[in-house]
Amino acid sequence: MPNATIEVRRQYSQTEETGIIDAIHAAMMHALEIPEWDKTVRLVVHEPHRFPQTPEKGERYTIVDIDLFSGRSLEAKKALYQAIVRKLEPFGIPGDQIKILLRESPAENWGIRGGVPASEVDLGFDVNV
């Protein structure tokens, strides 16, 4: 049930934007073992002047923020980082231009499915991977 936000500082085509979203979702399915139907991924495209960076970061600098339930192992997180870098490479986004931030919170801090704490819901998948 992770929520991902991708922030970029350049325009991509609609096909590329969809591909970037799908790449992050695929990385989460692979590393976090979420089901295919669990897809909450947003792409925010900033005008470069609204997302200033140092010159070495470049126009392809990309931030990926993922909010998720607590419980994933360090191995799963490392696999996620590597999968994201690998899956964004076909879009010309170099690995050293990607910053990934995971924000974990207990399932009881998420209200889902009609305002029920996620800790009281059968999610259909295990977060302890």
Side-chain angles (χ1 to χ4, degrees), residues 1 4 8 10 13 31 36 44 48 66 75 92 99 109 111 117 120 122 129:
M1 198 142 284
V8 297
R10 70 176 295 266
S13 70
E36 186 174 355
V44 179
I66 302 175
E75 291 76 24
K99 179 164 70 172
N109 289 357
E120 297 177 9
D122 178 9
V129 298

Side-chain angles (χ1 to χ4, degrees), residues 25-26 36 46 48 51 58 64 76 79 87 92 95 101 106 109 121 123 127 129:
H25 183 241
E36 186 174 355
H46 296 280
F51 187 174
V64 180
K87 293 190 177 291
L101 172 63
N109 289 357
V121 172
L123 299 172
V127 299
V129 298

Side-chain angles (χ1 to χ4, degrees), residues 85-97:
V85 167
R86 196 171 48 253
K87 293 190 177 291
L88 290 180
E89 187 178 338
F91 300 96
I93 303 171
D96 65 350
Q97 299 291 304

Side-chain angles (χ1 to χ4, degrees), residues 7 11-12 28 30 35 56-57 65 75 94 96 117 123 127:
E7 295 185 67
Q11 294 290 322
Y12 289 91
M28 291 191 303
H30 167 76
E56 64 272 6
K57 297 271 197 236
D65 291 323
E75 291 76 24
D96 65 350
L123 299 172
V127 299

Side-chain angles (χ1 to χ4, degrees), residues 62-82:
T62 301
I63 297 175
V64 180
D65 291 323
I66 302 175
D67 292 288
L68 66 166
F69 299 144
S70 302
R72 273 55 178 225
S73 67
L74 179 56
E75 291 76 24
K77 293 173 189 178
K78 287 179 180 180
L80 177 63
Y81 303 149
Q82 291 302 306

Side-chain angles (χ1 to χ4, degrees), residues 106-120:
E108 67 223 27
N109 289 357
W110 293 56
I112 61 172
R113 300 187 186 161
V116 178
S119 57
E120 297 177 9

